[in-house]
Amino acid sequence: MILQALNEYYQKLMDDPESGVAPPGYSPVKITHAVVLNNEGELIDILPLSVQQGKKSIPQKMMVPEQVKRTSGVSANILCDNVSYVLGIDRNKNGEPELATEKFADFRRKNEIFLNGIPSQGAQVILKFLQRWVPTLSHTIIGRSLDALLNGNNIVFKIDGMLGYVHEDAKVKEKWDESDDNHTDKTIGQCLILGEKLPIARIHPAIKGVVGAQTSGASIVSFNADAFTSYGKSQSFNAPVSIKAAFAYGTALNYLIASDTNRVRLADTTMVFWADKKGGKAEETVLAWCLDPVVAETGEENEKRRIDPAAARHAKAVLDRVKSGLPVGDAGFDPDTRCYLLGLAPNAARLSVRFWQVSSFGDVLEKIARHYTDMDIAGIERLGGTVSPWRTLKALAVLEDAKNIPPLLGGQLLKTILSGQMYPQPIYNAAIIRCRTGGEHGGVNTIRAAVIKAFLTRKYRIQKQPEREAMITVSLNENNTNNAYLLGRLFSLLEKAQKDALGSNINATIRDRYFGAASATPGSVFPLLLRLSRHHLSKSEYGNLSERKIQEVMNGLDAFPAHLNMEEQGLFILGYYHQNQANYTKNENNEQKEG
Amino acid sequence: MGYGVKLRVWGDYACFTRPEMKAERVSYDVMTPSAARGILEAIHWKPALVWRIDRIHVMKPIRFDSIRRNEVAGKISERNIKTAMNGGTVDLHQYAAAQNERQQRAALVLRDVEYIIEAHFELTEKAGESDNPGKHCDIFSRRAREGQCHMRPYFGCREFPVNFELVEGEIPKSALKGEIDLGWMLWDIDFANDMQPIFFRPTMRDGVVDTRLSRGRGV
């Protein structure tokens, strides 16, 4: 289904001239220079083709005859390659220029075979060039731009006084398209994407741009160890995909990953999504923003905006409407458009599929809105209201370092957000553990509390326990009589009493010392904390007020249980967080009254 | 067709691997006919008979889950096995603990599956005088009723065992509704012809995949 859908998407891209995807037999390649030849096949100039954009020079993209997948060894391409093949100049390990005669020889051999007999001036001139060129470092023209050539990318050919490049010549193209169809020695079999009997691809295209995979690209269909093969078949004959279909799905997938609006990255997972109709750009952009909302106002991240501000505002408006349960009601967004979602993650040189979902944009957006609603908690507005899945994951990692995000978690979280299922237990556990371990950036923070809240809300909803679901609120719920929740609130009040008494510059507050123990084994800690609080209350200015609040909460408690299970620990943290937030807002109100 | 059987099979996990995603496994949405054949063969099979899968009823919603397992990269070489068979001393073990042998592989598998397989068998030319359809049908029914099998049937991977019971009487209606195009799917392997895979394009209607459509080709 996955490859089939990608194959269909490729057919749509082909119909859209703006998409810039390669037709079969060609690949888009970055070109930095053109070698200019005169009619005798002599090198007369080297033309830089990069365009200056600000500080960077951007190479041009051109459709050239499809390039081979180079893993090791020497293998030249037709009419376009890097400098080591085209001119036989390379850099050695120390970065100094050297000759690469072997590569040039291969380039000469292959191109001579291909160009022979093409009745076009360009082809004939290149044949002359290939015969007379001897790789050298001392050529004056090369000397002028040696550094740029060696740092550059691919090179194409141009004939002095003729328009266009040689690989674009009509006669050359004709020959190339023909040679591509000559599958005389190919294995024929039933293609598992198209179902027809066609020549089968031996090697599948490399997919580039998946985070964490090799930069030269990784394969989604590969058989790079003996154990993956069966029935006596080698390489991709284990999975018969026709050359045609393999090219199509590879091109479509590479296009999606390179796109700004069809791709979202989260930890080790790269997700692409696409619409099942032509011109689904608006829907795709909305989805891309919703999964990676960047608040336009805060300039904290100076990275390049993937989605332009106007589109982001549009997306936010759409999301807000869905969040409040209204129909999208927007001409630019058709909720019934079918939508494919594919999550990929690297695993050595291979890509693995983390999830695959076929749905409609309206449905997916509803699920995303549900996620953000579940994550709503007092204080989250200070983070912009919608916390992107990326930040959520980071908050759950050790030291809040993206490197420490456990593998699999990214894919699992995305999958839950998009499918509306129960959040995976590891995410909840991670949130609780991070809350308990504390540290400078640790402890209970808004995102972690939001994750706990979202997990519990969704769990109760899916398990159909509406009265428990109702107990989990956005901000402090004084009517919640759950023991664990009350204990969390009590802990927050005791901490406040300590702060009121001793000021906020205490080396180790009771939170630093006892939070972990209090949330897991309250029975062993709370009596001690209450004893301590007597001293704090008597010392503090507003002791009476604090004492009354502590009494209120204590009245609701039945006992200090010996230990709390994972679910209760979550409620404890939630109670603590809510009470903290409430303390904070009350303080603000007081200040306003005073002022 | 008088000798049809109906078997209810269920389990916690299943992975009917798509051939194109075999290294990093991704399962088909539903059981393939060849997987169903394997389950029936595990209960009763002889050279005298060949199983034909008629319909597969999908009883539970299609749910995926992503897991990772440590596996090995290589196969045990044929030569080593021959040596061992001739009494030579070679180590035939594979060690997933060895760094260069271990391959961590991710898999997108099905969770919590239940199917009802409708099938019948035909006698082959290997059937002798003592073979008759009634007898084999009885053997199968008796064995399935008592939970007997030659080897534990599994859902695509040996780690995902199959629970089975014989369905006697009406097949309950599947909870799934609507029509889903399942795309090109492995039907079976043509063992007689260089082990060529054969694909077919099933459609699931209200939870039922009719696999009879592709009969007459291959195997």
Side-chain angles (χ1 to χ4, degrees), chain A residues 227 230 347 350 354 415, chain B residues 22 24 64 68 73 104 194:
Chain A
S230 50
N347 192 356
R350 308 184 295 266
R354 277 295 148 75
K415 195 180 143 198
Chain B
K22 197 153 102 168
E24 302 291 325
F64 282 97
R68 276 191 185 195
Q104 188 164 61
D194 191 26

Side-chain angles (χ1 to χ4, degrees), chain A residues 135-204:
Chain A
T136 167
L137 291 171
S138 54
H139 199 285
T140 46
I141 294 164
I142 290 180
R144 251 188 285 142
S145 40
L146 186 63
D147 261 2
L149 277 175
L150 285 170
N151 292 333
N153 243 308
N154 288 295
I155 298 177
V156 291
F157 288 95
K158 189 175 171 61
I159 309 297
D160 188 32
M162 279 173 65
L163 279 176
Y165 302 95
V166 177
H167 67 270
E168 290 170 349
D169 187 292
K171 292 266 176 13
V172 171
K173 275 183 137 172
E174 202 176 292
K175 172 86 182 269
W176 176 252
D177 292 342
E178 263 174 36
S179 68
D180 201 46
D181 288 337
N182 290 337
H183 300 302
T184 43
D185 56 337
K186 299 274 163 45
T187 314
I188 308 282
Q190 191 184 11
C191 168
L192 58 72
I193 294 178
L194 304 168
E196 298 157 36
K197 292 228 169 198
L198 289 166
I200 300 301
R202 193 182 73 83
I203 291 178
H204 282 240

Side-chain angles (χ1 to χ4, degrees), chain A residues 565-578:
Chain A
N565 62 23
M566 273 318 243
E567 187 179 325
E568 288 165 336
Q569 286 183 29
L571 286 167
F572 179 96
I573 290 166
L574 216 54
Y576 172 79
Y577 178 81
H578 278 161

